[in-house]
Amino acid sequence: MMMTDKQADRVCALLKERNQLTREYSRVEIQAANYLCRFVGHEVVAFVELKKVQWYQSEVCHLTVAAEHERQGHAKALIHGAEKAAIQHGSRLLQCTIREDNAASRTLFEYFGFRVVGQFYNRLTDNNVDVLQKVLVP
């Protein structure tokens, strides 16, 4: 299902508000990407992007939940959905990156079996970033 302009604008606003990103995203970019979304009515309250990186690997990006909808299971549902979709598309490995100081996100992904496999410094955001991976299909 294609996101409406209003829904894509909401994703753009939440990305800007809830993440420390190096750039802003446009409605066109959001609508062209593969976002899994959670809705309350027609309003987007949480989302994650699922990217196919290699034939064997997918990446989840920018898992975001609106502040007023935190701790309601949206993030868990999105990670579960992303894993399922990645497997359906042939991925054997799922990866994400998380700022080192984002303990809540790291704990959530570790709950789902992701493990830290590396770290790098992002000079644009002045953050250390952990790389986490999960083997989906042995």
Side-chain angles (χ1 to χ4, degrees), residues 115-128:
R115 297 293 172 247
V116 175
V117 296
Q119 185 181 76
F120 62 91
Y121 174 73
N122 183 340
R123 64 177 174 75
L124 297 174
T125 62
D126 194 35
N127 288 307
N128 288 320

Side-chain angles (χ1 to χ4, degrees), residues 28-82:
V28 172
E29 288 175 290
I30 298 302
Q31 289 174 323
N34 182 30
Y35 278 87
L36 306 175
C37 298
R38 302 275 294 174
F39 299 90
V40 171
H42 294 287
E43 183 180 21
V44 176
V45 298
F47 55 87
V48 69
E49 182 181 6
L50 180 63
K51 291 181 183 179
K52 185 80 169 191
V53 179
Q54 298 286 339
W55 69 267
Y56 62 88
Q57 180 182 13
S58 290
E59 180 178 18
V60 289
C61 303
H62 309 134
L63 176 64
T64 304
V65 179
E68 63 275 17
H69 294 279
E70 287 181 337
R71 311 212 53 81
Q72 296 177 17
H74 295 297
K76 285 183 178 179
L78 287 168
I79 293 171
H80 179 73

Side-chain angles (χ1 to χ4, degrees), residues 10-21 24 47 64-68:
R10 170 79 167 155
V11 169
C12 290
L14 286 170
L15 279 171
K16 182 177 180 178
E17 172 188 327
R18 305 285 291 167
N19 297 277
Q20 294 180 17
L21 302 178
E24 291 187 26
F47 55 87
T64 304
V65 179
E68 63 275 17

